[in-house]
């Protein structure tokens, strides 16, 4: 009987996929298909949990099959991340789009990412104080105990790594290893390696233009192929969102979410306020924030459902370049740097909130200006090297809490609501990197405002 139920569930998902594909054949816009997939996934997931319960073998096996679509889509995106970053940045040099102001572009992007992370930390502190969150009130169950033990193991690695060592780890000691994505900072290392290749190309072009021209043609060809692969993968986004959201809503522990509802609400208030800050920054730069929201929603929706900034990178870059008018070189720098540096949600809001919650347990008054200023500074500096995949926020929180000699057990006590909050954090991370790309393009006068203000209902032509 259970086998028949599993087969029936698989058939239902396949029917939904066929329906989304039919909409694609009828040229329904990409963004609409993504949101239709999101809506169906939420409703279908709730139905599955109501019908089977979260602990049933039928649901677990069903989700295993659904992961072929959901996790498979994410892995395809991760597959193309490194080739996309490398070839796009080298291509920007061969097209002379980064040759003259690479230093200015890099410094602006980094300043915006770290600066907005500091603002996110301040907002996280304010939200925690406003909701009167207290770390001493959190209860510890079996799952939390296991998580705390794991946190203790990770703490040793965190404490043994100083900030200067983390900065050095961004450099590509072995670029071929980094092209495999082996390290948490591999994406930044690939960016640096690609920049060196680009600078070398500029030098060769002056001394040996014929060889430089040949190299440029090879890079252009590879870039065209890689971008085509990106387009093919992005066409699967509505199906991936459907499967991922079905899994999330079908397996979430709503009882635990209800018990920790105050923390969840405070977290999302902080995340939403920080997103509004992004919109205000764009408005101050003379860019219509409503236009940004409309065009960025598909990539933010995917980041929200998938909980991976790295997996969202191809969609991030293509949205910036195709819909928002950001030059490809700047889009790749902003998107790539945003994976490991200055993540507003994971490295900014979350660690600051936890620090304020546990400060009283260490005999520290979280309302003192000295504590608040120190916490914001530590959060901003610690935001270097946070991995752009699930678990990055835990690493960032451990780094901040241990740096300020605060209790770390709270990181494990929030395991039951971690996935729900991580969805919002990841979307904010991606928005932060896109905002950095837009503001940098505007500051360097390279933003194509005609593309930005274009109102066609395409939101990514895939």
């Amino acid at each position: 009987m259970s086998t028949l139920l599993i087969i029936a569930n698989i058939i239902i998902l396949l029917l939904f996929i066929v329906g989304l594909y039919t909409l694609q054949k009828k040229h329904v816009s990409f963004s609409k298909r993504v949101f239709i997939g999101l809506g169906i996934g939420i409703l279908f997931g709730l139905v599955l949990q109501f019908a089977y319960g979260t602990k049933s073998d039928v649901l677990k096996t069903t989700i295993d099959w659904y992961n072929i679509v959901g996790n498979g889509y994410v892995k395809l995106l991760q597959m193309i991340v490194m080739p996309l970053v490398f070839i796009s940045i080298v291509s920007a040099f061969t097209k002379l789009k980064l040759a003259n102001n690479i230093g200015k572009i890099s410094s602006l992007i980094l300043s915006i990412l770290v600066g907005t992370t500091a603002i996110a930390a301040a907002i996280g502190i304010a939200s925690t104080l406003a909701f009167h969150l207290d770390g001493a009130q959190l209860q510890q169950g079996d799952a939390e105990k296991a998580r705390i033990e794991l946190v203790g193991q990770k703490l040793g690695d965190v404490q043994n790594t100083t900030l200067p060592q983390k900065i050095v780890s961004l450099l590509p000691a072995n670029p071929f290893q980094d092209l495999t994505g082996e390290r948490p900072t591999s994406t930044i290392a690939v960016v640096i390696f690609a920049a060196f290749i680009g600078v070398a190309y500029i030098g060769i072009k002056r001394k040996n233009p014929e060889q430089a021209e040949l190299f440029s043609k090879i890079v252009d060809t590879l870039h065209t192929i890689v971008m085509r692969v990106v387009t093919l993968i992005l066409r699967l986004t509505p199906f991936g969102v459907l499967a991922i959201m079905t899994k999330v809503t079908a397996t979430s522990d709503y009882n635990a979410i209800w018990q920790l509802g105050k923390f969840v609400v405070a977290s999302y208030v902080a995340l939403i306020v920080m997103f509004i800050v992004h919109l205000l920054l764009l408005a101050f730069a003379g860019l219509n924030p409503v236009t940004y929201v409309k065009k960025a929603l598909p990539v933010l929706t995917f980041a929200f459902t998938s909980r991976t900034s790295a997996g969202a990178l191809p969609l991030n870059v293509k949205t910036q370049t195709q819909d928002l008018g950001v030059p490809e070189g700047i889009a790749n720098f902003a998107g790539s740097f945003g994976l490991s540096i200055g993540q507003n949600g994971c490295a900014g809001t979350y660690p600051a909130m936890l620090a304020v919650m546990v400060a009283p347990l260490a005999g520290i008054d979280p309302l003192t200006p000295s504590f608040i200023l120190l916490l914001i500074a530590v959060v901003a500096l610690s935001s270097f090297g946070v991995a752009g995949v699930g678990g990055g926020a835990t690493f960032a929180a451990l780094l901040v809490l241990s740096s300020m000699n605060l209790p770390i057990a709270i990181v494990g006590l929030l395991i039951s609501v971690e996935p729900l909050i991580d969805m919002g954090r990841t979307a904010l991370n991606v928005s932060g990197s896109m905002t950095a790309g837009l503001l940098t393009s505007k500051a360097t006068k390279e933003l194509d405002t005609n593309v930005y203000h274009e109102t066609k209902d395409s939101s990514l032509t895939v």
Side-chain angles (χ1 to χ4, degrees):
M1 181 65 180
S2 60
T3 302
L4 293 176
L5 290 174
I6 293 168
I7 294 174
N9 293 335
I10 295 172
I11 292 173
I12 292 172
L13 182 71
L14 291 175
L15 290 175
F16 286 142
I17 290 174
V18 170
L20 288 172
Y21 180 72
T22 302
L23 294 178
Q24 178 180 324
K25 299 298 288 185
K26 292 182 178 180
H27 305 291
V28 175
S29 72
F30 178 78
S31 58
K32 289 181 180 178
R33 286 184 278 122
V34 169
F35 285 115
I36 290 172
L38 175 69
I40 294 175
I42 292 174
L43 294 175
F44 186 41
L46 291 173
V47 170
L48 288 176
Q49 182 170 136
F50 179 77
Y52 303 111
T54 56
K55 296 182 179 180
S56 71
D57 292 335
V58 172
L59 182 62
K60 291 178 181 178
T61 305
T62 297
I63 295 301
D64 279 343
W65 283 98
Y66 287 5
N67 283 339
I68 295 176
V69 179
N71 293 350
Y73 171 64
V74 173
K75 285 187 177 297
L76 289 176
L77 284 169
Q78 292 172 336
M79 171 191 75
I80 200 63
V81 165
M82 293 305 178
L84 172 65
V85 170
F86 178 76
I87 202 67
S88 295
I89 291 177
V90 174
S91 175
F93 276 94
T94 59
K95 295 175 182 176
L96 300 178
K97 292 182 178 180
L98 284 175
N100 298 324
N101 55 358
I102 181 174
K104 182 179 180 181
I105 288 172
S106 301
S107 59
L108 274 173
I109 290 173
L110 290 175
S111 298
I112 293 169
L113 288 172
V114 176
T116 52
T117 299
I119 297 173
I123 292 173
I125 293 170
S127 180
T128 306
L129 295 174
F131 281 84
H132 305 288
L133 298 180
D134 185 357
Q137 296 178 352
L138 297 179
Q139 297 180 352
Q140 180 175 319
D142 293 336
E144 286 75 15
K145 289 179 181 178
R147 178 66 178 271
I148 290 171
E149 291 178 2
L150 180 61
V151 165
Q153 296 173 3
K154 289 185 176 182
L155 180 62
D157 297 333
V158 172
Q159 290 177 328
N160 293 329
T161 305
T162 64
L163 181 60
Q165 290 173 335
K166 286 180 65 62
I167 294 174
V168 171
S169 72
L170 300 177
L171 300 177
N174 184 345
F176 297 100
Q177 179 191 27
D178 287 320
L179 283 168
T180 66
E182 185 69 21
R183 303 187 300 140
T185 57
S186 284
T187 308
I188 302 299
V190 169
V191 171
I192 295 172
F193 178 59
F196 270 103
I197 297 293
V199 171
Y201 163 81
I202 299 299
I204 295 297
K205 187 176 182 180
R206 288 195 295 264
K207 297 179 180 179
N208 197 329
E210 292 183 1
Q211 289 185 349
E213 181 66 21
L214 176 60
F215 178 77
S216 177
K217 290 180 179 179
I218 294 173
V219 169
D220 286 346
T221 301
L222 290 174
H223 180 261
T224 301
I225 293 173
V226 168
M227 292 308 297
R228 181 57 182 170
V229 174
V230 169
T231 299
L232 292 174
I233 295 173
L234 291 185
R235 285 179 176 173
L236 303 175
T237 301
F239 314 127
V241 168
L242 165 66
I244 292 169
M245 208 63 210
T246 300
K247 173 185 176 181
V248 169
T249 54
T251 58
S252 293
D253 187 347
Y254 295 104
N255 182 52
I257 293 171
W258 175 259
Q259 292 176 354
L260 292 172
K262 193 175 180 180
F263 178 76
V264 173
V265 172
S267 297
Y268 270 91
V269 166
L271 295 173
I272 291 170
V273 171
M274 189 59 212
F275 181 67
I276 293 173
V277 170
H278 291 169
L279 301 183
L280 290 175
L281 291 172
L282 294 175
F284 291 149
L287 299 173
N288 188 337
V290 176
T291 300
Y292 169 75
V293 172
K294 289 180 179 179
K295 294 188 174 185
L297 266 180
V299 62
L300 297 182
T301 300
F302 171 71
F304 183 85
T305 55
S306 67
R307 299 169 51 206
T308 165
S309 300
L313 182 62
L315 193 56
N316 179 344
V317 171
K318 198 150 191 177
T319 300
Q320 287 191 61
T321 55
Q322 191 176 106
D323 280 358
L324 298 174
V326 177
E328 199 166 284
I330 294 178
N332 275 280
F333 264 86
S336 302
F337 282 158
L339 295 185
S340 299
I341 297 174
Q343 292 191 349
N344 292 180
C346 289
T349 303
Y350 187 67
M353 292 184 69
L354 298 192
V356 173
M357 290 173 66
V358 300
L361 300 179
I364 300 173
D365 183 0
L367 291 173
T368 57
S370 58
F371 171 80
I372 292 175
L373 292 175
L374 177 61
L375 176 57
I376 292 174
V378 170
V379 167
L381 291 174
S382 300
S383 67
F384 284 81
V386 177
V389 293
T394 298
F395 182 83
L398 286 175
L399 188 60
V400 170
L401 294 176
S402 61
S403 298
M404 300 190 67
N405 296 317
L406 296 173
I408 65 163
I410 189 172
V411 178
L413 294 175
L414 298 169
I415 180 175
S416 55
V417 294
E418 177 74 13
L420 177 62
I421 299 172
D422 197 39
M423 295 166 76
R425 291 193 309 238
T426 306
L428 186 65
N429 294 341
V430 173
S431 178
S433 68
M434 296 174 72
T435 300
L438 280 166
L439 294 178
T440 300
S441 302
K442 184 70 173 179
T444 56
K445 299 180 180 179
E446 295 188 42
L447 181 69
D448 189 336
T449 54
N450 291 329
V451 173
Y452 184 89
H453 294 294
E454 195 173 18
T455 57
K456 64 178 181 179
D457 185 20
S458 63
S459 193
L460 280 177
T461 303
V462 295

